[in-house]
Amino acid sequence: MIPLKLARHHLTKNKTQTLPFILSNSMWVMITYIFFSMIHDTNLKAMAYGTETDYILKLGLVFVVLIATLSTFYAERLLSKQRMQELGLYSILGLTKHHLRQIVFWENILFYLICMVIGSAFGFAFSKFAFMGLKSLIGTTLLHQTLTWTPLLFDVLVFAVVFSLIILFDFWELRKVDPIDLWGKTAQPEKEPKSHLFLAILGLIILAIGYYISVTVKPTQDAFSRFIVAVLFVVVGSYLVFITTSISGLKALKKRPKYYYQPNHFISVSNMLYRMKQNGAGLASISLLCTSVLVALTASFSLIAGEKNIIDFYGPRDVQIVAPKPLSPVEKQHIKRIAKQNHITMRAPQTVSVTTPVTGVLIGDRFKQNTIHKANYVLSSLDLKQYNRLQRTHYRLARDEVLVYVSGSRYDKQALKIQGKRYRVKPIAQFSGAFAYGHLMTFKLVFVVAANKKIAHEINPYPEIYAQGFNIAGTNKQQKRFSNTVQQTLKVASENFTSKPVVRSLLQAIFGSLLFMGILISLVMICATVMIIYYKQVSEGYADQKYYRVMSEIGLSRQETTHAIRSQVLTVFLLPIVGAVINLGFALPALKSSLSELGLYDSKILTMVSVILTAVLLVSYMLIYMATAHVYRHIVNQGMV
Amino acid sequence: MSLLVLKHIKKSFSTGHQNEIQALKDVSFSVDKGDYVAIMGESGAGKSTLLNIIATLTHPTSGKITMNGIDLSHLSENEAAKFRRTQLGFVFQSFNLLDTFNNRDNIYLPLVLAKKSPQFMANRLAPLSQLLGIANLLDRQSFEISGGQKQRVAIARALITEPRLLLADEPTGALDSSNTEKILNIFERVNSKGQTILMVTHSAQAASYSRRTLFIKDGKIYNELYRGDQSRNQYLQKIIDSLTALEEVQ
């Protein structure tokens, strides 16, 4: 069969182009297999919080398949010029359209088979490994894996669909052009890109709006949805800026003869104009891919790193019961009995009584009560005697004086106005009785210590509640069983009952699966980025062949030409990563607000994690760039005399 | 006074397995300042190799080539590039204009590389674009104009540096007869103003515009014709006779 032979010939002859395609697609087959395997071959759903984890994984899976498909199409488009020329030659040599379709068909079938075999083999091997990773990240021993054929079946089906789409796309490309066009497609030069001033400015404005939203997101309950809106703006803005603003900017530079007619600027400005036209969308995609890698990993690593802070936010003791009155002797007996049954020892009991917290906002030094959806603080009050006892301090307060504690920050105003009265403030950094009432993690906690109970009630007139807690020792399993039994026996509503061992496993399950997915998705995106960069180098190489030849004849040494073109190509390749870092910079405030929703207030952790990740990304990006650069050089040198 | 002198130039290519192809066997000739030399020969006779050596794009295996007293046989790559930039102008069969520039910038390219000011470049271009009749094409892209127009833009690019030597490689090879005539007339006019030209060509018609024609065969100079006071037709007839004689020698 001639078409099959020609297809095989193409695959083996153009190794520099087919190998990366095979590698990246195999990688996606592998990762998709792992996702399917985690969802279908494990008892994840049966685990505590398994439904959440399962949901997160399925979301990730959809995302991976989407990214894989899109970047494959993008690579196909980059190479299609070169490819169409080759097929055009066949067509001139007498092959019919039907034959060409057959060649394209067989090519993709071969690609599909190769990628499926490699991908599933590695997927099978690595799913065991990934499973162990997931297990340790979620922190459970109950998770187990039974290997079945289901993931493979799904994997085969999903990629059959992807490759069918590719085949249809290629057919469409073939349909569009007739043989003579095919032959000349690469030779046909491109018009100088037009400047779309309106779109260029619009892009900048949209990007600015996105950044503005992100920076001004308040840590209230709708922080996350506002973050999503900001993301949408930044995505649209990035594409517009990369595609149109860059061209308008370059055109403006070109209009300044003093700047334009200098050897380096002359070559780079004119060349960049064309590159940006062809590459604007691709560069914007790389930039957004890098941004999402940075944001996803920053968020998940920060959550893992900040897990202890989050857990401590729930309250000062391992187990805590909040109630309108102190625990009765009978209830205390129950707890003791359950502890004994579960081999738990209890230590450091502590009871704090504070007024029921009210939600509100701080405007300057005035606390204004507000509905829960518009608030970002909860405030309760207590008397000095309790505070001094808990902290072992010896503060004295006048009637118009208060101590103010704000979780995660310091109250820096001189006074506090509340309930129509003004109090002078002594800020305090410590309050070992602080707890998040009703597990409301989105709010900053404010505790106001007044001279006595009467004044405390003037500050916050709501009835007192008692937070009663103690630490426990025992195995993780015993601790959880003890906690659950206590809660059931005493019939405590879940928002009034805190058990850190239980919270810890919940957070581990959620954060662990988030990180697991973050890592897998980042792998996919890095792979997509590598593939796009690689094929960009290849297509740019072909585009620059003639350039090098003409330049050398006009009297620019190869070294000088290389220098001029490389520095400019490097600029083009660095743009997306610069864009990604800027995006991350603006995403951090919104990220901070969204994460505080989950109880993470430590912005130091967030900053550190993002700086480290940015550095890692920069280094790996440059490595990828340099590793692919030799392909470019090779292609360019083919065109020399 | 001789501008370009070639003495016993040899060039061989090894094709592996100790096989050597001798592209140029022993070529000696010189080109005077203000001369217009055509080099003719069949494909594979060594014309392109000769041109590449003169253009400093490749080194001869042995022999000596000097231009304006500078020894070209041993220039480093950077020196060669600088030499090309300052001393030579190139015109090619396939024009070799860059699509990323408009015509004006294509012409400016060598001057920009030589770091000349925009004003200087504009002053140089004005008379040249009049001479070549391309004044109204300057702001268009190179792919928007015809082949003959492209070649005139390419000639402008070659001449704008006021090179000592203009090298032309089949400059009319891709053009129709009316455009061919235009280009050859331009060459003749430029030469009459003192520009030294060395042209490689297949076409007897193109060669008939030159002052001197060298015939090259099997890597050697085989014959040499001077136009002298002959009319172009007489000269053309002699060139054709010489080509016929060349074919008969086996």
Side-chain angles (χ1 to χ4, degrees):
Chain A
M1 242 179 118
I2 291 174
L4 180 58
K5 259 190 199 156
L6 284 173
R8 228 177 43 215
H9 174 76
H10 171 67
L11 249 62
T12 45
K13 204 192 114 211
N14 301 316
K15 279 200 199 85
T16 47
Q17 288 178 30
T18 51
L19 268 184
F21 187 84
I22 289 174
L23 279 180
S24 47
N25 271 293
S26 304
M27 177 93 165
W28 289 321
V29 170
M30 173 185 110
I31 288 174
T32 314
Y33 179 91
I34 291 176
F35 267 106
F36 275 125
S37 162
M38 292 306 109
I39 293 169
H40 289 280
D41 283 0
T42 63
N43 58 336
L44 198 61
K45 250 188 260 180
M47 307 293 304
Y49 320 112
T51 7
E52 284 87 348
T53 319
D54 187 63
Y55 180 68
I56 290 172
L57 283 177
K58 278 182 181 157
L59 254 175
L61 176 65
V62 172
F63 196 68
V64 165
V65 173
L66 212 67
I67 291 280
T69 315
L70 287 178
S71 19
T72 306
F73 271 91
Y74 185 71
E76 284 276 315
R77 235 174 56 99
L78 276 182
L79 291 181
S80 93
K81 264 191 184 179
Q82 225 62 42
R83 189 80 190 94
M84 286 303 147
Q85 197 183 26
E86 198 183 310
L87 290 176
L89 177 64
Y90 289 153
S91 152
I92 285 167
L93 292 177
L95 290 189
T96 63
K97 276 265 174 79
H98 179 66
H99 285 126
L100 295 186
R101 273 198 292 274
Q102 276 183 317
I103 295 174
V104 168
F105 176 78
W106 281 115
E107 243 173 58
N108 282 306
I109 294 290
L110 286 176
F111 272 134
Y112 174 69
L113 291 177
I114 294 170
C115 294
M116 277 327 290
V117 169
I118 298 177
S120 348
F122 276 94
F124 190 76
F126 278 104
S127 74
K128 202 83 198 159
F129 190 66
F131 172 76
M132 289 185 325
L134 181 64
K135 196 164 149 181
S136 78
L137 281 175
I138 292 182
T140 173
T141 48
L142 295 170
L143 197 64
H144 49 80
Q145 187 183 27
T146 39
L147 294 173
T148 65
W149 290 104
T150 325
L152 186 63
L153 188 72
F154 276 120
D155 210 19
V156 165
L157 282 176
V158 163
F159 281 91
V161 171
V162 172
F163 274 88
S164 307
L165 287 175
I166 295 175
I167 290 175
L168 286 179
F169 173 78
D170 286 350
F171 280 4
W172 181 252
E173 288 275 289
L174 279 177
R175 264 175 58 101
K176 270 198 307 200
V177 278
D178 68 279
I180 298 165
D181 264 2
L182 273 180
W183 191 213
K185 206 174 176 194
T186 311
Q188 204 168 54
E190 291 198 55
K191 287 220 162 76
E192 186 177 289
K194 286 202 183 71
S195 168
H196 298 282
L197 201 60
F198 171 71
L199 284 178
I201 294 170
L202 189 71
L204 282 177
I205 292 173
I206 290 177
L207 197 61
I209 293 175
Y211 286 160
Y212 177 78
I213 295 175
S214 172
V215 171
T216 54
V217 168
K218 292 257 158 39
T220 52
Q221 281 197 322
D222 56 359
F224 190 69
S225 51
R226 292 192 51 140
F227 183 55
I228 297 291
V229 173
V231 167
L232 284 178
F233 271 95
V234 170
V235 168
V236 174
S238 292
Y239 274 102
L240 279 177
V241 165
F242 269 100
I243 295 168
T244 62
T245 313
S246 55
I247 287 176
S248 298
L250 289 167
K251 284 233 163 183
L253 285 180
K254 202 175 167 182
K255 290 218 177 81
R256 293 171 48 203
K258 278 250 165 65
Y259 176 89
Y260 179 53
Y261 289 120
Q262 282 176 32
N264 273 335
H265 302 162
F266 191 58
I267 297 172
S268 49
V269 170
S270 63
N271 238 0
M272 285 257 269
L273 257 175
Y274 286 85
R275 271 179 218 281
M276 289 317 291
K277 187 194 173 195
Q278 295 159 359
N279 299 335
L283 294 176
S285 309
I286 295 181
S287 175
L288 292 171
L289 282 176
C290 290
T291 308
S292 22
V293 169
L294 281 176
V295 170
L297 285 183
T298 302
S300 31
F301 272 119
S302 300
L303 284 173
I304 298 271
E307 197 179 83
K308 194 181 170 302
N309 294 25
I310 296 173
I311 291 169
D312 285 343
F313 191 71
Y314 277 82
R317 294 289 185 268
D318 288 348
V319 175
Q320 178 174 277
I321 297 163
V322 177
K325 54 182 196 296
L327 290 172
S328 68
V330 180
E331 286 170 325
K332 284 183 180 161
Q333 279 303 316
H334 277 310
I335 295 173
K336 271 187 193 154
R337 180 177 48 81
I338 298 165
K340 213 171 177 184
Q341 283 167 359
N342 289 295
H343 312 284
I344 289 288
T345 50
M346 298 187 290
R347 280 176 292 123
Q350 171 182 297
T351 300
V352 187
S353 73
V354 298
T355 54
T356 310
V358 292
T359 53
V361 288
L362 269 173
I363 304 162
D365 58 1
R366 193 163 69 89
F367 182 84
K368 185 169 164 275
Q369 207 174 319
N370 219 332
T371 58
I372 196 160
H373 295 290
K374 288 184 177 164
N376 49 9
Y377 287 91
V378 285
L379 181 142
S380 48
S381 57
L382 64 152
D383 58 298
L384 181 66
K385 215 168 106 189
Q386 255 196 106
Y387 182 82
N388 276 338
R389 180 171 52 79
L390 281 170
Q391 302 294 133
R392 297 199 177 84
T393 50
H394 303 284
Y395 279 105
R396 278 157 193 270
L397 290 174
R399 295 184 57 81
D400 63 342
E401 264 186 330
V402 289
L403 303 176
V404 175
Y405 169 82
V406 180
S407 65
S409 61
R410 205 179 162 86
Y411 188 76
D412 55 1
K413 302 281 185 311
Q414 302 286 317
L416 177 69
K417 288 183 200 142
I418 185 166
Q419 296 287 337
K421 276 197 177 172
R422 184 176 184 281
Y423 298 91
R424 285 183 289 137
V425 166
K426 286 184 182 173
I428 44 175
Q430 299 276 321
F431 177 46
S432 63
F435 66 96
Y437 176 67
H439 299 172
L440 291 173
M441 304 301 288
T442 37
F443 299 94
K444 283 198 168 184
L445 311 175
V446 183
F447 288 92
V448 181
V449 183
N452 57 47
K453 284 214 172 190
K454 193 170 157 277
I455 300 170
H457 274 282
E458 283 172 15
I459 290 169
N460 178 347
Y462 292 91
E464 281 198 333
I465 48 167
Y466 295 82
Q468 305 150 87
F470 46 85
N471 288 338
I472 52 177
T475 66
N476 195 29
K477 218 168 161 182
Q478 288 165 343
Q479 289 187 3
K480 279 199 266 186
R481 201 165 55 213
F482 164 76
S483 308
N484 290 334
T485 322
V486 168
Q487 191 192 350
Q488 277 158 22
T489 315
L490 302 188
K491 298 195 173 67
V492 191
S494 59
E495 68 267 26
N496 289 330
F497 185 83
T498 307
S499 159
K500 286 191 186 172
V502 175
V503 171
R504 197 171 290 126
S505 3
L506 167 69
L507 291 185
Q508 263 188 7
I510 292 175
F511 297 171
S513 48
L514 269 177
L515 180 64
F516 179 75
M517 199 188 64
I519 291 172
L520 278 193
I521 286 184
S522 302
L523 269 179
V524 168
M525 303 224 240
I526 288 166
C527 183
T529 315
V530 173
M531 178 161 129
I532 291 177
I533 291 178
Y534 180 87
Y535 284 115
K536 281 219 145 308
Q537 298 265 26
V538 171
S539 62
E540 305 245 320
Y542 283 114
D544 286 343
Q545 266 183 356
K546 185 178 168 197
Y547 210 91
Y548 272 81
R549 210 177 50 234
V550 174
M551 283 307 202
S552 86
E553 284 156 358
I554 283 172
L556 211 58
S557 70
R558 193 181 298 195
Q559 216 180 349
E560 287 170 301
T561 315
T562 309
H563 179 73
I565 292 192
R566 290 317 279 175
S567 69
Q568 174 238 125
V569 173
L570 194 63
T571 318
V572 172
F573 276 93
L574 274 178
L575 280 178
I577 202 91
V578 170
V581 172
I582 294 174
N583 282 347
L584 177 70
F586 280 101
L588 278 181
L591 205 56
K592 199 178 137 195
S593 298
S594 297
L595 290 183
S596 68
E597 191 110 327
L598 291 163
L600 183 74
Y601 284 105
D602 199 337
S603 51
K604 246 191 298 181
I605 292 180
L606 193 63
T607 318
M608 224 165 67
V609 169
S610 57
V611 166
I612 292 172
L613 282 174
T614 306
V616 170
L617 187 76
L618 265 177
V619 170
S620 19
Y621 190 83
M622 287 315 289
L623 286 179
I624 293 167
Y625 173 76
M626 288 192 292
T628 53
H630 84 273
V631 185
Y632 173 90
R633 240 171 283 137
H634 179 73
I635 292 171
V636 164
N637 285 340
Q638 280 176 352
M640 296 297 282
V641 193
Chain B
M1 190 201 132
S2 289
L3 176 69
L4 177 73
V5 181
L6 284 84
K7 279 184 186 155
H8 309 295
I9 293 293
K10 283 183 190 160
K11 178 72 181 178
S12 46
F13 297 99
S14 64
T15 55
H17 308 296
Q18 293 164 340
N19 284 337
E20 269 199 351
I21 293 177
Q22 285 204 314
L24 294 176
K25 283 171 185 157
D26 185 0
V27 174
S28 301
F29 69 94
S30 62
V31 177
D32 287 345
K33 202 165 174 290
D35 208 347
Y36 182 177
V37 178
I39 295 176
M40 294 199 74
E42 293 173 329
S43 299
K47 294 186 310 261
S48 299
T49 310
L50 185 60
L51 195 73
N52 280 341
I53 287 174
I54 297 170
T56 67
L57 290 169
T58 181
H59 289 307
T61 312
S62 69
K64 194 174 178 185
I65 171 168
T66 57
M67 190 170 130
N68 214 26
I70 307 167
D71 185 355
L72 305 188
S73 345
H74 301 294
L75 291 181
S76 73
E77 213 219 303
N78 284 338
E79 287 166 340
K82 194 171 174 228
F83 173 80
R84 287 198 291 278
R85 189 157 72 214
T86 53
Q87 315 274 324
L88 300 180
F90 286 87
V91 178
F92 303 91
Q93 177 174 3
S94 54
F95 323 125
N96 282 349
L97 298 175
L98 292 171
D99 298 328
T100 49
F101 293 112
N102 66 18
N103 292 324
R104 175 181 281 109
D105 289 346
N106 258 303
I107 298 170
Y108 279 173
L109 187 56
L111 288 185
V112 172
L113 297 181
K115 299 184 179 140
K116 300 294 183 202
S117 74
Q119 191 53 49
F120 178 88
M121 298 193 286
N123 290 344
R124 276 273 176 98
L125 180 58
L128 209 51
S129 60
Q130 285 303 319
L131 175 74
L132 297 170
I134 51 171
N136 55 341
L137 304 177
L138 293 175
D139 287 315
R140 294 170 64 184
Q141 297 298 118
S142 63
F143 54 84
E144 291 173 332
I145 58 177
S146 74
Q149 292 171 326
K150 277 185 196 174
Q151 195 59 301
R152 279 183 275 152
V153 170
I155 292 171
R157 181 180 67 188
L159 291 178
I160 198 156
T161 56
E162 296 178 351
R164 284 182 198 276
L165 178 63
L166 178 69
L167 291 174
D169 187 2
E170 302 280 7
T172 58
L175 301 177
D176 59 51
S177 59
S178 104
N179 272 312
T180 297
E181 212 160 298
K182 267 188 201 161
I183 297 296
L184 291 173
N185 278 324
I186 288 170
F187 272 26
E188 200 171 38
R189 217 174 320 151
V190 172
N191 174 245
S192 70
K193 290 185 177 177
Q195 176 66 55
T196 317
I197 301 176
L198 192 133
M199 172 172 71
V200 166
T201 183
H202 265 108
S203 146
Q205 187 206 358
S208 73
Y209 281 75
S210 70
R211 292 171 192 259
R212 177 156 71 116
T213 305
L214 298 175
F215 296 88
I216 187 164
K217 187 178 169 72
D218 298 331
K220 279 187 218 157
I221 302 231
Y222 179 80
N223 194 5
E224 191 172 3
L225 286 179
Y226 285 87
R227 179 172 173 182
D229 296 329
Q230 305 169 79
S231 74
R232 185 151 68 237
N233 275 332
Q234 288 171 321
Y235 185 38
L236 177 61
Q237 197 50 54
K238 282 207 178 147
I239 292 171
I240 293 171
D241 291 345
S242 195
L243 280 175
T244 320
L246 204 63
E247 269 168 35
E248 281 161 5
V249 181
Q250 282 303 338

